[in-house]
Amino acid sequence: MRITCFIGSSRENGNTEILTDIVTKDIQHQKINLRKLNIKPIHDLRHDVNGFQPVDDDYDQIIEAFMESDLLVFSTPVYWYTMSGLMKNMVDRISHAIRDNRYPQFREQLKTKNAIVVTVGGDDPYIKGLPLIQQFKYTFDFLDINFPAYIIGEGHRPGDISQDKQAITQANLLNEKLKEVIAKGSF
Amino acid sequence: MRITCFIGSSRENGNTEILTDIVTKDIQHQKINLRKLNIKPIHDLRHDVNGFQPVDDDYDQIIEAFMESDLLVFSTPVYWYTMSGLMKNMVDRISHAIRDNRYPQFREQLKTKNAIVVTVGGDDPYIKGLPLIQQFKYTFDFLDINFPAYIIGEGHRPGDISQDKQAITQANLLNEKLKEVIAKGSF
Amino acid sequence: MRITCFIGSSRENGNTEILTDIVTKDIQHQKINLRKLNIKPIHDLRHDVNGFQPVDDDYDQIIEAFMESDLLVFSTPVYWYTMSGLMKNMVDRISHAIRDNRYPQFREQLKTKNAIVVTVGGDDPYIKGLPLIQQFKYTFDFLDINFPAYIIGEGHRPGDISQDKQAITQANLLNEKLKEVIAKGSF
Amino acid sequence: MRITCFIGSSRENGNTEILTDIVTKDIQHQKINLRKLNIKPIHDLRHDVNGFQPVDDDYDQIIEAFMESDLLVFSTPVYWYTMSGLMKNMVDRISHAIRDNRYPQFREQLKTKNAIVVTVGGDDPYIKGLPLIQQFKYTFDFLDINFPAYIIGEGHRPGDISQDKQAITQANLLNEKLKEVIAKGSF
């Protein structure tokens, strides 16, 4: 099972990344730090006579990571009660990617994918992070992506996440679960 | 009452902008098209020893528009069940702005502001757009911004919004309400 | 098109009922006041060896109203941010009704139904009433009931609803829409 | 710390009760099975000239349990995506209780209480149970009750909950946490 973690934080080693690292501990995976890529906001040309136009940035790396992975980990801090702008631009561009002639199988291949969301927030995330989870659910449903698990953690200052026992425990459980999934080959 | 509409669509004259224009019809206001500005994603340096650093882009225009307006209209299409990445980057940067030494009154001034959300989506927005509304509510609560109204509309292809009688009617009602508010001077 | 309004308020002529009456003005319909019926809480015997047992109360009237109606109007005040207990007991008993041998077609017939929700709350219902709408949506999806519209109104003291212009306008629009639906025969 | 668990299931030893029992294992507490009490739906007489009238049922037991407890555990299966009707009637009657002349300190005393929600559902409760959590949050906020934790579990058939490792683990963690809270005397 190939795994890619998309890290949406603007900070190095932020709480969300630490929590995500527990989920993937001792499991082979690649990590894409969105802050290190140049991803432009979508220009919605769905209804333009010429359709979407090629964009000169790093988004192809995202498309290719989606295509070659079985499990996509969306790892984002809660910024203003939803995903970071970095991650949002990545997600928005899916609308383009599923209509990109260079990747005619992309839309269909998504239907075989699994997704996990890991998110950490500072302002009552166990309550105020719930709409974010609902939005990811709608997104994955639209794309027919399986969504077996999410983890919400609480943390304000760097490293705080280590004190959220519940989130740490959930991350360890999910790590064990992923190892089982890898052993048997499917969710 | 000074009004600024922040337009988060990547398209010209999209459904959300049309609906927003009904809300502000015959009312003096300025409109800021986010797609025409260069706004970088936030680099969260809250906890860095040197704090946030100056960013070379157009965000100061946003800060100034916030400061000089009494009513902020957040106008965004529903992209993947939440605001567009363009608007999200604008919102994320508020975290920097409220700590920007050049605008020491910014945080305090926000408490006198009012906000309205106008959003149009193509996939059952009257249901699937609700988490977006909840997130704006949490955001405005955090900033002590008054949030008197929102409008959700449905539209897929350009111009569709004109057929959403409920949304159009709500926009007209809100337009009348704003004129009353302007006449009496407050919400 | 046969219409039944289920009134979940414990008060006569409450705000929710007034708003519902606008929706059904000049349209033939029946109204069932749940406060006048004896409906017991469900006793969940799905997994009991003998299954559900007959209950001696008025619930058969509800089942029959569901079966003979094309449009079901769920009219409930927002009590503690969700439907009233009166209405909740009615809804809970659907779990029994869809397994009731006396109504073998019930489950299947529900799939031809349409539902509308009308609700009025006193504490910021346009925000805090949204989870209630999401729950009705999940419920109707589970039962394959079409859910074309809902109206949220604000009111605290009896009669307040008449001052919620938006809700009144939505109710009038929905009334017109229903007349069109009746004229053409379907949603 | 005195603890009362309000059990809203209509079944004996349902999944939610099993999960709740883990939370309170080896901790002194009382348990109130709502199915064994006679609790009538609220008759909302807030705006009646004579106000609320005495109700001849078992609700005083609930008021007294609230008053004498420091921690209230709301334990309810997810029925149709929200709390059971049994529990909803109990919650609705709080509107009466906080205006009941026989308990003039009730409203004020609630502000010293803590609440936990334990809920188990059969249809994707980790997603579709989230609006229920939001509603409890709004309710506790209205009453100024502290809401330190909730647990969502998944289970369809009796006993299923034992296979939801995440929920069981969370319940055990919360049990440990409660023991610490008891030792130090406060949340």
Side-chain angles (χ1 to χ4, degrees):
Chain A
M1 198 174 65
R2 288 152 304 178
I3 299 174
T4 303
C5 302
F6 301 92
I7 308 293
S9 177
S10 68
R11 281 208 305 245
E12 272 192 81
N13 297 313
N15 284 310
T16 317
E17 191 169 351
I18 293 170
L19 191 60
T20 306
D21 286 346
I22 296 173
V23 173
T24 55
K25 195 174 49 187
D26 304 326
I27 296 175
Q28 199 185 339
H29 66 282
Q30 71 167 321
K31 198 189 277 194
I32 295 184
N33 273 292
L34 299 178
R35 68 180 173 276
K36 297 184 179 170
L37 299 186
N38 172 28
I39 297 179
K40 295 186 183 164
I42 194 166
H43 185 189
D44 178 7
L45 294 167
R46 272 177 301 161
H47 307 292
D48 192 87
V49 66
N50 297 307
F52 282 103
Q53 298 304 307
V55 179
D56 182 24
D57 66 1
D58 298 328
Y59 198 73
D60 287 359
Q61 287 183 44
I62 303 294
I63 297 178
E64 281 151 23
F66 267 66
M67 288 179 78
E68 72 197 24
S69 303
D70 304 295
L71 173 63
L72 312 166
V73 181
F74 292 79
S75 170
T76 179
V78 183
Y79 283 174
W80 296 104
Y81 312 105
T82 183
M83 68 185 81
S84 68
L86 277 170
M87 182 160 281
K88 189 69 212 313
N89 277 334
M90 180 188 88
V91 169
D92 283 359
R93 289 281 295 282
I94 295 173
S95 300
H96 182 167
I98 59 180
R99 293 170 179 87
D100 190 327
N101 296 328
R102 297 172 306 144
Y103 301 97
Q105 307 303 319
F106 184 61
R107 179 73 181 83
E108 199 59 27
Q109 284 192 15
L110 289 180
K111 299 183 183 179
T112 64
K113 309 301 181 190
N114 301 283
I116 283 173
V117 172
V118 180
T119 189
V120 178
D123 179 22
D124 207 359
Y126 286 108
I127 297 295
K128 298 183 185 173
L130 302 183
L132 168 60
I133 301 302
Q134 294 175 316
Q135 290 165 340
F136 270 118
K137 171 66 174 169
Y138 289 139
T139 295
F140 299 142
D141 278 355
F142 185 92
L143 295 168
D144 301 298
I145 291 174
N146 183 37
F147 181 27
Y150 64 84
I151 302 177
I152 297 174
E154 183 157 5
H156 194 67
R157 297 187 60 80
D160 274 3
I161 191 63
S162 65
Q163 285 164 46
D164 182 341
K165 272 192 202 173
Q166 178 174 285
I168 299 293
T169 304
Q170 277 186 284
N172 279 307
L173 267 180
L174 188 50
N175 176 261
E176 283 172 34
K177 174 84 185 297
L178 289 182
K179 287 172 179 167
E180 288 170 28
V181 167
I182 290 166
K184 69 171 181 163
S186 73
F187 272 89
Chain B
M1 197 173 64
R2 288 152 304 178
I3 300 173
T4 303
C5 301
F6 301 93
I7 307 293
S9 177
S10 68
R11 279 208 307 245
E12 272 192 81
N13 297 314
N15 284 311
T16 317
E17 191 169 350
I18 293 169
L19 192 59
T20 305
D21 286 346
I22 296 173
V23 172
T24 54
K25 196 174 48 189
D26 304 327
I27 296 175
Q28 199 185 338
H29 66 282
Q30 70 168 321
K31 199 189 275 195
I32 295 185
N33 274 292
L34 300 178
R35 67 179 174 277
K36 297 183 180 171
L37 299 186
N38 172 27
I39 297 179
K40 294 185 184 164
I42 194 166
H43 185 188
D44 179 7
L45 293 167
R46 271 176 301 161
H47 307 291
D48 192 87
V49 66
N50 297 308
F52 282 102
Q53 298 304 307
V55 179
D56 181 23
D57 66 1
D58 299 328
Y59 198 74
D60 286 358
Q61 287 183 42
I62 302 295
I63 296 179
E64 282 152 20
F66 267 66
M67 288 178 77
E68 72 197 24
S69 304
D70 304 295
L71 173 62
L72 312 166
V73 182
F74 291 79
S75 170
T76 178
V78 184
Y79 282 175
W80 296 104
Y81 312 106
T82 184
M83 69 186 80
S84 68
L86 277 170
M87 181 159 282
K88 189 69 213 311
N89 276 334
M90 179 188 89
V91 170
D92 282 0
R93 289 280 295 282
I94 294 173
S95 300
H96 181 168
I98 60 180
R99 294 170 179 86
D100 190 328
N101 296 328
R102 297 173 305 143
Y103 301 97
Q105 307 303 322
F106 184 61
R107 179 73 181 82
E108 201 58 29
Q109 284 192 13
L110 288 181
K111 299 182 184 180
T112 63
K113 309 300 181 189
N114 301 283
I116 283 172
V117 172
V118 180
T119 189
V120 178
D123 179 23
D124 207 358
Y126 285 109
I127 297 295
K128 298 183 184 173
L130 301 183
L132 167 60
I133 300 302
Q134 294 175 316
Q135 290 165 339
F136 270 118
K137 171 66 174 169
Y138 288 139
T139 296
F140 299 141
D141 278 355
F142 185 93
L143 295 168
D144 301 298
I145 292 174
N146 182 36
F147 182 27
Y150 63 85
I151 301 177
I152 298 174
E154 183 157 7
H156 195 67
R157 298 187 59 81
D160 275 4
I161 190 63
S162 63
Q163 285 162 46
D164 182 340
K165 272 192 203 174
Q166 177 174 285
I168 298 293
T169 304
Q170 277 186 283
N172 279 307
L173 267 180
L174 187 50
N175 175 261
E176 284 172 33
K177 175 82 186 296
L178 288 182
K179 287 172 180 167
E180 288 170 28
V181 168
I182 290 166
K184 69 172 180 162
S186 73
F187 272 90
Chain C
M1 197 174 66
R2 286 152 304 178
I3 300 172
T4 302
C5 301
F6 301 93
I7 308 293
S9 176
S10 68
R11 280 209 305 245
E12 271 191 84
N13 296 314
N15 283 310
T16 317
E17 191 169 350
I18 293 169
L19 191 59
T20 306
D21 287 346
I22 295 173
V23 172
T24 55
K25 195 174 49 188
D26 303 327
I27 295 176
Q28 200 185 337
H29 66 281
Q30 70 167 320
K31 197 188 278 194
I32 295 185
N33 274 293
L34 299 178
R35 67 179 174 275
K36 297 184 179 170
L37 299 186
N38 172 27
I39 297 180
K40 294 184 183 165
I42 193 167
H43 185 190
D44 178 6
L45 293 166
R46 272 177 300 161
H47 307 292
D48 192 87
V49 66
N50 298 308
F52 282 102
Q53 298 304 307
V55 179
D56 181 24
D57 66 0
D58 299 328
Y59 198 74
D60 287 358
Q61 287 183 44
I62 302 295
I63 297 178
E64 282 150 22
F66 267 67
M67 289 178 77
E68 72 197 23
S69 303
D70 304 296
L71 173 63
L72 312 166
V73 182
F74 291 78
S75 170
T76 178
V78 183
Y79 282 175
W80 296 104
Y81 311 105
T82 184
M83 69 186 80
S84 69
L86 278 169
M87 182 159 282
K88 189 69 212 313
N89 276 334
M90 180 189 87
V91 169
D92 282 359
R93 290 281 295 282
I94 295 173
S95 300
H96 182 169
I98 59 181
R99 294 170 179 85
D100 190 326
N101 296 328
R102 298 172 305 142
Y103 301 97
Q105 308 303 320
F106 184 61
R107 179 75 181 81
E108 200 58 29
Q109 285 192 13
L110 288 180
K111 299 182 185 181
T112 64
K113 308 301 181 190
N114 302 282
I116 283 172
V117 172
V118 180
T119 190
V120 178
D123 178 22
D124 207 358
Y126 286 108
I127 297 294
K128 298 183 184 172
L130 301 183
L132 168 61
I133 300 302
Q134 294 175 316
Q135 290 165 340
F136 269 118
K137 171 65 175 170
Y138 288 140
T139 296
F140 299 141
D141 278 356
F142 185 92
L143 295 168
D144 300 296
I145 291 174
N146 183 37
F147 181 27
Y150 64 84
I151 301 177
I152 298 174
E154 184 158 4
H156 195 67
R157 297 187 59 81
D160 275 3
I161 190 64
S162 63
Q163 284 164 47
D164 182 341
K165 271 192 203 174
Q166 178 175 285
I168 299 294
T169 305
Q170 277 186 282
N172 279 307
L173 268 180
L174 188 50
N175 176 261
E176 283 171 35
K177 173 84 186 297
L178 289 182
K179 287 173 180 166
E180 287 169 28
V181 167
I182 290 166
K184 70 172 180 163
S186 73
F187 272 88
Chain D
M1 197 174 65
R2 288 151 303 178
I3 300 173
T4 303
C5 301
F6 301 93
I7 307 293
S9 176
S10 67
R11 281 208 306 246
E12 271 192 81
N13 297 314
N15 284 310
T16 317
E17 191 168 352
I18 293 169
L19 191 60
T20 306
D21 287 346
I22 296 173
V23 172
T24 55
K25 195 174 49 188
D26 304 327
I27 296 175
Q28 198 185 337
H29 67 282
Q30 71 167 321
K31 199 189 276 193
I32 295 185
N33 274 292
L34 300 178
R35 67 178 174 277
K36 297 184 180 170
L37 299 186
N38 172 27
I39 296 179
K40 295 185 183 165
I42 194 166
H43 185 188
D44 178 7
L45 292 167
R46 273 177 299 160
H47 307 292
D48 192 87
V49 66
N50 297 308
F52 282 103
Q53 297 304 307
V55 179
D56 181 25
D57 66 1
D58 299 328
Y59 198 75
D60 286 358
Q61 286 183 45
I62 302 294
I63 296 178
E64 282 150 20
F66 267 66
M67 289 179 77
E68 73 196 23
S69 304
D70 304 295
L71 173 62
L72 312 166
V73 181
F74 291 79
S75 170
T76 177
V78 184
Y79 283 175
W80 297 103
Y81 312 105
T82 184
M83 68 186 80
S84 69
L86 277 170
M87 182 159 281
K88 189 67 213 312
N89 276 334
M90 179 188 89
V91 169
D92 283 359
R93 289 281 294 282
I94 294 173
S95 301
H96 182 167
I98 60 180
R99 294 170 178 86
D100 190 326
N101 296 329
R102 297 172 307 143
Y103 301 97
Q105 307 304 319
F106 184 60
R107 179 74 180 81
E108 201 58 27
Q109 285 192 14
L110 289 181
K111 299 181 184 181
T112 63
K113 309 302 180 187
N114 301 283
I116 283 173
V117 172
V118 180
T119 189
V120 178
D123 178 23
D124 207 359
Y126 285 109
I127 297 294
K128 298 183 184 172
L130 301 183
L132 167 60
I133 300 303
Q134 294 175 316
Q135 290 165 340
F136 270 118
K137 172 66 175 168
Y138 288 139
T139 295
F140 299 141
D141 277 356
F142 185 92
L143 295 167
D144 301 297
I145 292 173
N146 183 37
F147 181 27
Y150 64 85
I151 301 177
I152 298 174
E154 183 158 5
H156 195 67
R157 298 187 59 81
D160 275 2
I161 190 63
S162 63
Q163 285 163 45
D164 182 342
K165 271 192 203 174
Q166 177 174 286
I168 299 293
T169 305
Q170 277 185 283
N172 279 307
L173 267 180
L174 187 50
N175 176 260
E176 284 171 34
K177 174 82 186 297
L178 289 182
K179 287 172 180 167
E180 287 169 28
V181 167
I182 290 166
K184 70 171 179 164
S186 74
F187 273 89

